[in-house]
């Protein structure tokens, strides 16, 4: 072993605690980089594999009723590869011992002549337990796996459902998942609730018979040929479905479940960019401090080495090797920590997004990139110090380092030194005489504190959003959704239910919004101008009255469309006569959950040229009357589903508890590593 290499290992051991502190910071940066990108790749690869193998559709559309013969015309649209028509409806479900309302999304599966019905042509189900539906077993269904686990259901159990106003007993034949429902959420709900919402699959023949859909369909999905223009096909499809009550086709990117998962992938990309920069920046600073101090203490050794013939390059390489060794320790540890955190996060996402499989996938290029970025950051952070060591002339190095020029500090020049004790004055002198080091040390500790606060901030932010949304803005106890828009007189039926204290109707329509060249698909919600249960909030979280004319849009939607108050918003309604409206934006509303447009309900009815019509109702009930109200609502055939506010919030917190706990643990460990690295190294340098 060369003499310089022996010196290298000896120095590494002598500063082992400082090396450990720096390595911990590098471990944090590498770990979060690998965790984010490996989880991103795992989710993306699993999603794409799931979509491909189970034929997730490219275009979706719902309608009132159309003959099956229309499917051949849809298939003739240029660019369409496959077409599947379905019967889709919403039902209410009863389970013994569970009093809360349960809504179900019932989807038809094709009927075969063989021993089993198929999984479907598109959006095929992934069977996890049981068997596919058997021809002739008209009362058998396949239920979502999450709903079955939430209620501890097993094969052969019986459920009572209300299908088209008729009570019917159905039998659980299997449990499944579907690429169409990775994110399972009831219509009108904001959070998944596996206890109160289920996706179910039933043989097409009995389901079609129950809804007078023999030889007809009310839902269609398509896959497209490679290179096909999705928007052109959607426009052609809308034209075919319009006479049959089509409510607007949409592409995969706008499909609710896929949109949620895509947004999560974008958040992971942001995490993989921001956090490693913080950690590796702190590591580069600490390496600079340690190596600079080490070179300062070894001036005479450097002079002796040069006197014995070692070149500038050899000296520079020696200290560069020391930097690379420290960095390598952090890289090795970071790879292990990153894989551990990546697997843990992948498992959380698999449960939350109802993925049947998630194979952890780590590209070698991620590890190589992490190592190269870390090495580059370390070398750049110590470049100046290593360069000075290499250029130090032997004669100059033999002399002790010139003492630092000391002078009175700013406070002392003001005559304020008597206000402080001697130790305090020493601290203030040190800070003022080394301002850059003090600033960077303070910044490093600030980053550590900020990182540790992320877990608590995340929970606090969620609690604030939920409080504002459900205690200040939406104040109903239950949201009742109808199968179809109905007369405002339906509110009288709700008012007459024993225990219902107050009810307000709302009208929702799907719409395509456009301002200039920007477009966004969402819902236009017509609410009462003097609504007590759905209040619009300004930026100060204060309620304001809905104007008689114009629309109010959420602040986030205004950012997406780059629209401001006074601009004219184009609204293409996607149901009924499908009118195109030009409406001024009169205000923006603060809303943390949802991206919507609000308008006076009566004004919306007039614009749609319909009588006083509502899509559902918001109601408040007495605390002791909820079970009785649930029972009444279950027996009302017009009701497609009921969302109970408090239960939704509780389920949301239960679902996010594991995620928040995991992030809190990770952020605490990573923040602690930064704090330890900065404080320990600064303390050692100061004492030396």
């Amino acid at each position: 072993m060369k003499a310089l290499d022996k010196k290298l290992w000896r120095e590494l051991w002598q500063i082992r605690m400082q090396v450990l502190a720096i390595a911990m910071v590098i471990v944090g940066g590498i770990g979060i980089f690998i965790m984010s990108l490996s989880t991103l790749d795992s989710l993306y690869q699993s999603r794409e594999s799931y979509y491909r193998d189970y034929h997730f559709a490219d275009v979706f559309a719902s309608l009132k009723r159309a003959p099956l013969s229309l499917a051949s015309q849809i298939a003739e649209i240029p660019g369409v590869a496959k077409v599947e028509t379905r019967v889709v409806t919403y039902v209410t479900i009863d389970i013994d011992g569970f009093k809360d309302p349960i809504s179900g999304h019932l989807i038809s599966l094709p009927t075969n002549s063989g021993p089993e019905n198929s999984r479907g042509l598109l959006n095929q189900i992934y069977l996890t337990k049981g068997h596919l539906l058997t021809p002739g077993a008209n009362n058998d269904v396949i239920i979502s796996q999450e709903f079955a686990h939430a209620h501890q259901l097993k094969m052969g159990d019986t459920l009572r459902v209300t299908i088209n106003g008729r009570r019917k007993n159905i039998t659980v034949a299997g449990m499944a998942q579907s690429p169409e429902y990775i994110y399972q959420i009831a219509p009108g709900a904001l959070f998944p609730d596996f206890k109160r919402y289920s996706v179910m699959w039933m043989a097409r023949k009995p389901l079609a018979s129950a809804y007078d859909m023999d030889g007809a369909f009310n839902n269609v999905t398509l896959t497209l040929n490679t290179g096909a223009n999705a928007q052109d096909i959607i426009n052609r499809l809308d034209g075919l479905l319009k006479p049959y009550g089509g409510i607007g086709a949409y592409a995969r990117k706008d499909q609710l479940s896929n949109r949620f998962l895509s947004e999560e992938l974008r958040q992971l990309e942001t995490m993989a960019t921001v956090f490693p920069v913080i950690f590796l920046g702190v590591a580069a600073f600490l390496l600079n401090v340690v190596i600079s101090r080490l070179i300062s203490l070894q001036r005479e050794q450097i002079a002796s080495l040069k006197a014995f013939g070692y070149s500038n390059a050899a000296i520079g390489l020696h200290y560069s090797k020391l930097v690379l060794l420290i960095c390598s320790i952090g890289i090795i540890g970071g790879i292990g920590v990153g894989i551990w955190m990546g697997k843990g996060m992948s498992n959380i996402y698999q449960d939350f997004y109802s993925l049947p499989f998630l194979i952890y996938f780590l590209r070698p290029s991620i590890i190589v990139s992490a190592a190269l970025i870390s090495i580059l950051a370390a070398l750049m952070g110590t470049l100046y110090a290593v360069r000075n060591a290499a250029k130090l002339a032997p004669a100059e190095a033999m002399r002790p380092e010139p003492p630092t020029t000391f002078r009175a500090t700013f406070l002392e020049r003001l005559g304020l030194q008597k206000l402080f004790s001697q130790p305090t004055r020493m601290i203030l002198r040190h800070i003022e005489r080394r301002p850059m080091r003090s600033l960077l040390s303070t910044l490093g500790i600030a980053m550590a504190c900020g990182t540790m606060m992320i877990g608590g901030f995340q929970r606090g932010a969620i609690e604030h959003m939920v409080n504002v949304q459900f205690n200040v803005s939406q104040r109903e106890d239950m949201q009742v959704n109808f199968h179809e828009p109905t007369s405002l007189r339906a509110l009288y039926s709700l008012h007459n239910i024993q225990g219902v204290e107050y009810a307000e109707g709302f009208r929702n329509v799907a719409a395509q919004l456009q301002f200039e060249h920007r477009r966004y698909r969402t819902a236009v919600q017509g609410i009462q101008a003097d609504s007590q249960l759905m209040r619009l909030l300004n930026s100060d979280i204060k309620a304001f009255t809905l104007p008689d004319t114009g629309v109010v849009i959420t602040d986030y939607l205004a950012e997406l469309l780059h629209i401001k108050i006074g601009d004219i918003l184009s609204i293409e309604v996607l149901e009924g006569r499908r009118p195109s409206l030009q409406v001024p934006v009169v205000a923006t509303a603060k809303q943390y959950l949802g991206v919507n447009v609000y308008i006076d309900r009566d004004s919306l009815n007039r614009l749609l040229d319909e009588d006083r019509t509502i899509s559902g109702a918001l109601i408040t009930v007495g605390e002791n009357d909820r079970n009785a109200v649930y029972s009444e609502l279950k027996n009302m055939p017009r009701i497609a589903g009921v969302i109970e506010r408090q239960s939704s919030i509780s389920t949301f917190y239960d679902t996010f508890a594991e995620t928040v706990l995991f992030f809190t643990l990770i952020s605490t460990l990573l923040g602690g590593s930064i704090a330890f690295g900065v404080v320990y190294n600064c303390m050692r340098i100061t004492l030396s």
Side-chain angles (χ1 to χ4, degrees):
M1 184 181 293
K2 296 180 180 179
L4 282 181
D5 291 335
K6 292 180 180 179
K7 177 177 180 293
L8 173 67
W9 290 106
R10 185 167 58 248
E11 289 169 349
L12 190 68
W13 177 252
Q14 289 173 349
I15 60 172
R16 56 188 178 277
M17 289 304 298
Q18 292 173 275
V19 169
L20 176 62
I22 297 171
M24 286 175 61
V25 178
I26 297 175
V27 165
I30 297 291
I32 203 164
F33 182 82
I34 291 176
M35 176 193 74
S36 302
L37 290 183
S38 64
T39 304
L40 177 66
D41 284 344
S42 300
L43 278 174
Y44 181 80
Q45 294 292 339
S46 299
R47 183 187 70 171
E48 293 307 302
S49 177
Y50 192 21
Y51 284 0
R52 181 185 63 252
D53 295 345
Y54 289 84
H55 305 284
F56 186 44
D58 295 312
V59 175
F60 304 78
S62 296
L63 57 147
K64 294 283 188 180
R65 188 181 190 277
L68 285 175
S69 57
L70 188 66
S72 59
Q73 297 181 49
I74 296 173
E76 292 172 0
I77 297 175
V80 173
K82 294 179 182 179
V83 178
E84 182 175 44
T85 61
R86 304 184 297 184
V87 176
V88 178
T89 188
Y90 293 97
V91 298
T92 56
I93 306 170
D94 278 334
I95 294 180
D96 291 336
F98 191 79
K99 298 181 184 284
D100 290 4
I102 306 173
S103 59
H105 196 168
L106 197 53
I107 304 169
S108 68
L109 286 176
T111 303
N112 290 344
S113 57
E116 286 188 339
N117 290 328
S118 74
R119 300 173 185 268
L121 178 64
L122 304 179
N123 307 309
Q124 294 178 349
I125 60 173
Y126 179 95
L127 197 67
T128 57
K129 283 186 180 180
H131 57 81
L132 292 174
L133 301 175
T134 304
N138 294 340
N139 294 330
D140 283 0
V141 295
I142 296 173
I143 63 176
S144 65
Q145 176 179 273
E146 292 74 19
F147 179 74
H149 289 172
H151 290 281
Q152 298 180 341
L153 299 173
K154 56 185 184 299
M155 303 304 104
D157 284 350
T158 300
L159 307 176
R160 292 186 302 278
V161 299
T162 302
I163 300 178
N164 199 19
R166 301 184 183 92
R167 302 297 291 273
K168 183 174 183 178
N169 290 333
I170 57 175
T171 304
V172 177
M175 301 175 190
Q177 294 174 298
S178 167
E180 192 176 3
Y181 294 97
I182 288 177
Y183 189 77
Q184 293 184 33
I185 186 170
L190 294 173
F191 315 123
D193 188 346
F194 299 137
K195 284 190 174 182
R196 297 167 184 84
Y197 174 69
S198 174
V199 181
M200 303 187 295
W201 294 267
M202 191 177 195
R204 179 162 187 158
K205 185 175 181 180
L207 184 58
S209 298
Y211 282 91
D212 191 25
M213 286 281 179
D214 290 322
F217 65 95
N218 65 357
N219 185 274
V220 61
T221 58
L222 321 174
T223 54
L224 310 181
N225 294 321
T226 303
N229 188 305
Q231 191 57 51
D232 288 345
I233 292 172
I234 287 172
N235 294 337
R236 295 279 298 273
L237 179 61
D238 282 343
L240 289 174
L241 299 182
K242 186 175 181 179
Y244 302 98
I247 59 173
Y250 53 92
R252 178 190 289 186
K253 66 181 179 64
D254 293 319
Q255 199 263 347
L256 182 63
S257 175
N258 180 71
R259 183 188 285 185
F260 268 96
L261 185 54
S262 298
E263 289 295 329
E264 194 66 49
L265 294 178
R266 276 192 281 272
Q267 290 180 22
L268 283 173
E269 289 178 350
T270 302
M271 184 185 297
T273 303
V274 174
F275 281 94
V277 170
I278 294 174
F279 283 87
L280 297 180
V282 172
F285 160 65
L286 295 179
L287 281 168
N288 178 271
V289 170
V290 171
I291 299 302
S292 297
R293 185 58 182 168
L294 186 65
I295 291 171
S296 176
L297 295 174
Q298 293 184 355
R299 288 171 61 88
E300 294 183 2
Q301 294 182 30
I302 294 172
S304 300
L305 290 171
K306 288 191 173 184
F308 279 105
Y310 285 95
S311 65
N312 291 349
I315 299 296
L317 182 61
H318 167 71
Y319 287 105
S320 295
K321 284 182 180 180
L322 179 61
V323 172
L324 292 177
L325 269 176
I326 297 173
C327 193
S328 298
I329 295 171
I331 291 172
I332 294 171
I335 292 172
V337 170
I339 293 173
W340 171 73
M341 292 192 301
K343 289 182 176 179
M345 181 174 280
S346 296
N347 291 333
I348 290 174
Y349 279 125
Q350 181 179 2
D351 293 338
F352 184 76
Y353 282 103
S354 301
L355 291 165
F357 55 84
L358 200 152
I359 302 172
Y360 183 70
F361 182 73
L362 176 59
R363 286 181 286 128
S365 59
I366 293 178
I367 296 177
V368 173
S369 298
L372 290 177
I373 292 172
S374 301
I375 291 171
L376 182 62
L379 291 176
M380 289 182 64
T382 56
L383 179 63
Y384 182 75
V386 172
R387 179 175 173 272
N388 287 343
K391 293 181 64 177
L392 195 60
E396 180 184 349
M398 290 299 293
R399 294 195 298 268
E401 186 177 8
T404 304
T405 301
F406 289 95
R407 60 180 179 273
T409 63
F410 177 73
L411 291 176
E412 290 170 331
R413 290 196 297 273
L414 292 177
L416 301 177
Q417 65 270 23
K418 294 181 179 180
L419 299 178
F420 303 98
S421 64
Q422 185 63 32
T424 303
R425 294 205 299 272
M426 292 172 64
I427 294 171
L428 294 174
R429 288 170 188 163
H430 178 80
I431 293 174
E432 185 172 332
R433 288 163 182 164
R434 294 175 175 81
M436 185 55 65
R437 181 186 298 176
S438 301
L439 175 64
L440 293 177
S441 298
T442 302
L443 184 61
I445 295 173
M447 289 180 176
C449 293
T451 303
M452 286 189 284
M453 287 173 61
I454 287 175
F457 170 80
Q458 184 182 38
R459 182 169 185 84
I462 290 172
E463 289 177 348
H464 174 71
M465 289 190 295
V466 170
N467 177 64
V468 170
Q469 188 72 25
F470 293 105
N471 291 326
V472 182
S473 179
Q474 294 179 229
R475 305 195 299 168
E476 77 279 2
D477 294 320
M478 300 179 195
Q479 177 178 318
V480 178
N481 296 309
F482 298 140
H483 282 287
E484 294 183 353
T486 188
S487 170
L488 186 63
R489 291 190 297 272
L491 285 182
Y492 296 126
S493 299
L494 295 176
H495 274 296
N496 291 331
I497 296 176
Q498 180 68 33
V500 173
E501 297 176 344
Y502 180 70
E504 289 180 357
F506 62 86
R507 178 73 171 102
N508 276 6
V509 291
Q512 182 77 40
L513 311 179
Q514 182 170 352
F515 178 69
E516 296 178 344
H517 63 282
R518 302 175 188 88
R519 300 168 66 91
Y520 193 84
R521 183 188 172 104
T522 185
V524 175
Q525 298 193 15
I527 60 176
Q528 287 185 196
D530 58 347
S531 175
Q532 300 300 308
L533 301 182
M534 180 65 211
R535 302 195 302 176
L536 301 180
L537 308 176
N538 59 24
S539 57
D540 296 324
I541 317 297
K542 303 293 184 182
F544 66 90
T545 303
L546 179 67
D548 296 334
T549 59
V551 296
V552 176
I553 65 175
T554 59
D555 50 358
Y556 181 65
L557 180 58
E559 292 179 11
L560 291 177
L561 295 177
H562 293 244
I563 194 171
K564 59 184 183 297
I565 296 173
D567 290 334
I568 302 299
L569 178 66
S570 298
I571 302 177
E572 180 187 353
V573 178
L574 300 177
E575 61 180 74
R577 296 185 303 105
R578 304 186 67 171
S580 294
L581 312 174
Q582 303 292 318
V583 189
V585 176
V586 294
T588 59
K590 185 72 176 179
Q591 193 171 70
Y592 294 115
L593 303 172
V595 183
N596 299 305
V597 175
Y598 296 96
I599 187 173
D600 176 72
R601 189 187 64 212
D602 294 335
S603 298
L604 180 59
N605 289 153
R606 286 194 299 271
L607 290 171
L608 298 178
D609 194 21
E610 61 186 14
D611 293 330
R612 303 181 72 187
T613 302
I614 57 176
S615 306
L618 307 175
I619 64 175
T620 58
V621 300
E623 185 66 31
N624 299 323
D625 298 318
R626 296 194 177 190
N627 292 336
V629 173
Y630 295 153
S631 299
E632 289 291 332
L633 293 175
K634 290 176 184 178
N635 296 322
M636 300 179 74
R638 288 183 178 178
I639 294 178
V642 179
I643 300 171
E644 203 274 319
R645 185 189 66 171
Q646 195 56 49
S647 299
S648 298
I649 296 173
S650 298
T651 302
F652 170 75
Y653 279 126
D654 291 343
T655 303
F656 269 80
E658 184 180 1
T659 305
V660 172
L661 183 62
F662 181 80
F663 273 105
T664 301
L665 172 64
I666 297 302
S667 61
T668 301
L669 292 176
L670 296 180
S673 68
I674 293 180
F676 175 74
V678 172
V679 173
Y680 180 80
N681 278 287
C682 288
M683 181 188 69
R684 282 294 304 268
I685 296 301
T686 301
L687 291 176
S688 66

